[in-house]
Amino acid sequence: MSSEYSGAAAPPHILIFPVPLQGHVSSMLNLAEIFCLSDLHVTVVLTDYSHRRLLRHGGLHSRFSRYGGAFRAATISDGLPDDHPRTGEAIFDVVMSLREVGGEQFRRVMESSDGASRRRVSCLIIDGMMSYTLPVAAERRIPYFIFRTISACAFWSYFCTPEIIAAGEMPLRGNDEDKLTYWRKKEMDFPVTAVPGMEGILRRRDLPGLLRVNDAANLSLQAMAAETKATTKANGFILNTFEDLEGPILDQIRKHIPNLYSVGPLHSHLKSRLESSGFESSQKNSSSFWAEDSSCIDWLDSQPIGSVVYVSFGSVTMLTRDELFEFWYGLVNSGIRFLWVIRPDSVVGNRVGDTIPEELEEGTKRRGHMVEWVPQSTVLGHPSVGVFFTHSGWNSILECVAIGLPMICWAYFVDQMTNSRFVSEVWKMGLDIKDTCDRVIVENVVREVMEVRKDEFLERARAMSIMARNAISEGGSSFVNLNRLNEFLKSTTQR
Ligand code: UDX
């Protein structure tokens, strides 16, 4: 894995550009590291904001230093002020602002990423919603791949947006203010028939958040639908999933995008490739945007095996104070132990309030532990954890699938709406309570998954984790696909 080369002896140089949010950056850094291991040169484009976070909390330098000059990070501005929240619905500001200010900066990054010890960039790997980078690829006549960090089932739902609209299955007729009315609730349970391969599975409430709107001309939806369809023009398409998990949906996508590489679960794939290259895969692999609080491991060490519900709603979810308290009461009233990650910026208006009801304080002291951010893979693999109560972000689901734990799925927005349906209805690894966090429902579902149906869900989860391991092992589908991708990239050197 030599890293200093001169001129033509240097390996092909791949430029990777993730959407600058935690989930996207984590998956793309995992792919970047796999490429470094495969003796490719990589430049990852980060925004100043995400770069700062990774330097401070994610150990970016220590993680990639072993690859010498093979890895570089280039930075651009996302065009937003430092104190912009970059969470909740405000993440769309990040995407939209980059569409405005990203193009020229990207061109400059491309120009400056060619150096004495590196070849010119020979292939681009970009996230969704980044078509503004494509003129540069065209001018340089280099191939580009799209890597969407979401599930195949969510991608495929976005892909079918025009068909869903043509079938009259969206826009929704009730408006947002009607959210809780009888009609709206009923409408949300109507089936979606226009997504091939998902008949009998999807209801309108399971469509990705951007499609659950009452205006088909919604700008974010139209932008997402157009960029998703445009994936057909890329030289290849990468998804962080595996054939045994999403095979039937991948087959549907292949009818439109034949050069598809399913290479997941990427975090375990990287771990396995590091181990077979003789490297230790340690916590240095973290790409956290927040400081990891490892005190929770001591707390977990003192809990009985399989007794704890681990609760985390990911990196961008925002909860209202009412939602927070419904979840909290539900957890405490279930009588089951819980470890709960609540990011410091995750309660709307930073308003937990001064008065926390005594029964919640007491119940939490007795059976709970709350932290701001944890090393999630370590927590999920801890023997005391029995169930993952998740917001259904795709990385979180894959990390749980790899470990083999049952899930309780809630969903905040975007792809999470579809992911949570697949966990409960297709993979049968847990239950889906999207669109509600009523304390009684939370209490019941925690008991149901932790006690009443635990064995049933555990059996499914363990079987799936074996399939995940097989996919990334030598000869497995993701292993073979990743090698095929590596081979292609190695053939892209600029002539
Ligand atoms: C959301 C989407 O739902 C996701 O599918 C999409 O690709 C990006 O935006 P996010 O809220 O970031 O994602 O969820 P998720 O994809 O699950 O990623 C969160 C990451 O943060 C996971 O890798 C998880 O391990 C990590 N994490 C979370 C920690 O390391 N510590 C924590 O305490 C909580």
Side-chain angles (χ1 to χ4, degrees):
M1 209 178 318
S2 154
S3 54
E4 299 307 328
Y5 295 87
S6 66
H13 179 185
I14 316 303
L15 191 131
I16 300 182
F17 192 1
V19 168
L21 298 168
Q22 175 76 80
H24 299 251
V25 170
S26 297
S27 331
M28 295 235 181
L29 283 178
N30 287 340
L31 189 64
E33 190 166 357
I34 290 176
F35 291 159
C36 292
L37 273 175
S38 312
D39 211 8
L40 290 161
H41 276 180
V42 184
T43 297
V44 175
V45 184
L46 298 165
T47 55
D48 296 321
Y49 173 85
S50 53
H51 188 232
R52 263 199 316 272
R53 292 241 159 203
L54 284 171
L55 289 179
R56 198 173 314 149
H57 307 300
L60 188 67
H61 279 323
S62 53
R63 175 173 174 184
F64 284 96
S65 57
R66 63 178 156 217
Y67 304 107
F71 175 86
R72 279 194 202 158
T75 53
I76 63 171
S77 161
D78 63 15
L80 297 170
D82 279 351
D83 61 356
H84 185 282
R86 296 171 176 84
T87 52
E89 298 288 334
I91 64 163
F92 296 111
D93 296 348
V94 179
V95 176
M96 291 308 188
S97 173
L98 271 173
R99 280 159 77 92
E100 295 282 311
V101 304
E104 265 319 296
Q105 296 187 82
F106 181 73
R107 183 180 297 280
R108 283 200 293 276
V109 164
M110 282 288 272
E111 279 155 12
S112 62
S113 59
D114 310 325
S117 60
R118 314 195 113 199
R119 284 178 185 264
R120 297 187 78 202
V121 170
S122 55
C123 184
L124 284 187
I125 297 184
I126 54 169
D127 212 324
M129 307 290 280
M130 287 192 162
S131 51
Y132 56 86
T133 60
L134 297 181
V136 185
E139 283 159 26
R140 292 191 161 214
R141 298 183 183 193
I142 57 173
Y144 72 94
F145 278 52
I146 291 181
F147 174 14
R148 293 292 292 272
T149 58
I150 53 175
S151 55
C153 56
F155 173 84
W156 182 232
S157 306
Y158 283 132
F159 195 92
C160 296
T161 301
E163 291 74 18
I164 298 172
I165 294 172
E169 293 177 343
M170 75 85 48
L172 299 172
R173 274 176 279 165
N175 60 33
D176 273 351
E177 285 73 55
D178 288 341
K179 232 181 213 164
L180 299 173
T181 63
Y182 174 73
W183 163 250
R184 179 57 172 248
K185 280 192 192 152
K186 210 166 138 60
E187 182 187 20
M188 290 299 248
D189 286 329
F190 290 169
V192 173
T193 61
V195 184
M198 296 199 199
E199 302 87 349
I201 299 171
L202 277 199
R203 302 157 302 174
R204 301 199 186 167
R205 70 172 74 251
D206 307 313
L207 288 169
L210 287 175
L211 278 149
R212 297 182 6 154
V213 289
N214 59 356
D215 173 15
N218 177 290
L219 283 183
S220 304
L221 167 63
Q222 285 305 327
M224 177 62 90
E227 295 251 6
T228 301
K229 274 281 192 237
T231 312
T232 52
K233 301 200 180 93
N235 297 83
F237 181 42
I238 305 168
L239 279 171
N240 186 9
T241 187
F242 58 99
E243 298 294 322
D244 278 335
L245 188 66
E246 295 196 276
I249 305 302
L250 290 166
D251 288 343
Q252 294 288 345
I253 298 172
R254 282 195 181 95
K255 290 181 191 166
H256 304 263
I257 312 170
N259 198 22
L260 169 58
Y261 301 78
S262 57
V263 295
L266 265 178
H267 70 290
S268 356
H269 208 156
L270 168 62
K271 186 166 181 277
S272 143
R273 288 193 179 223
L274 278 168
E275 284 162 4
S276 46
S277 304
F279 288 121
E280 215 184 298
S281 84
S282 63
Q283 285 315 305
K284 280 188 188 150
N285 283 341
S286 154
S287 42
S288 280
F289 280 19
W290 287 268
E292 290 174 355
D293 177 349
S294 295
S295 72
C296 63
I297 304 295
D298 297 335
W299 183 82
L300 283 173
D301 285 344
S302 63
Q303 309 303 316
I305 291 186
S307 68
V308 175
V309 184
Y310 166 57
V311 191
S312 168
F313 298 142
S315 69
V316 287
T317 299
M318 297 292 296
L319 295 178
T320 62
R321 186 175 186 275
D322 285 351
E323 286 169 335
L324 177 90
F325 276 83
E326 289 303 302
F327 281 121
W328 202 346
Y329 268 110
L331 287 165
V332 165
N333 294 346
S334 74
I336 288 174
R337 295 159 210 258
F338 62 92
L339 167 64
W340 190 358
V341 174
I342 303 188
R343 287 190 339 271
D345 55 353
S346 65
V347 183
V348 176
N350 279 332
R351 237 176 33 89
V352 178
D354 301 328
T355 45
I356 308 238
E358 209 181 304
E359 61 271 27
L360 286 188
E361 296 252 37
E362 260 310 298
T364 306
K365 221 179 284 164
R366 254 185 284 133
R367 289 184 301 277
H369 189 72
M370 285 164 144
V371 278
E372 294 190 343
W373 192 256
V374 301
Q376 181 158 296
S377 284
T378 311
V379 166
L380 286 171
H382 194 287
S384 300
V385 174
V387 163
F388 185 14
F389 195 156
T390 172
H391 71 310
S392 313
W394 189 235
N395 291 289
S396 294
I397 289 183
L398 283 177
E399 287 156 16
C400 190
V401 162
I403 296 286
L405 283 181
M407 282 174 255
I408 298 168
C409 291
W410 179 72
Y412 175 63
F413 67 172
V414 291
D415 58 324
Q416 299 157 16
M417 303 291 170
T418 316
N419 301 340
S420 48
R421 182 66 170 171
F422 268 63
V423 169
S424 67
E425 290 306 301
V426 180
W427 307 318
K428 303 192 188 298
M429 288 175 59
L431 296 177
D432 174 15
I433 61 158
K434 75 163 68 72
D435 293 327
T436 175
C437 56
D438 175 278
R439 64 186 71 182
V440 177
I441 292 180
V442 171
E443 175 186 339
N444 289 340
V445 84
V446 168
R447 291 221 187 94
E448 185 82 2
V449 181
M450 273 298 268
E451 293 173 349
V452 186
R453 297 176 66 186
K454 184 166 188 172
D455 291 344
E456 165 196 340
F457 292 132
L458 199 54
E459 196 183 321
R460 295 283 306 180
R462 285 190 176 145
M464 195 58 90
S465 98
I466 293 170
M467 290 190 240
R469 202 168 328 124
N470 291 341
I472 56 157
S473 303
E474 188 148 5
S477 57
S478 296
F479 184 91
V480 169
N481 284 339
L482 193 57
N483 286 354
R484 189 164 62 87
L485 178 60
N486 275 333
E487 286 315 306
F488 177 86
L489 296 177
K490 284 182 177 169
S491 73
T492 59
T493 318
Q494 277 264 307
R495 287 159 288 260

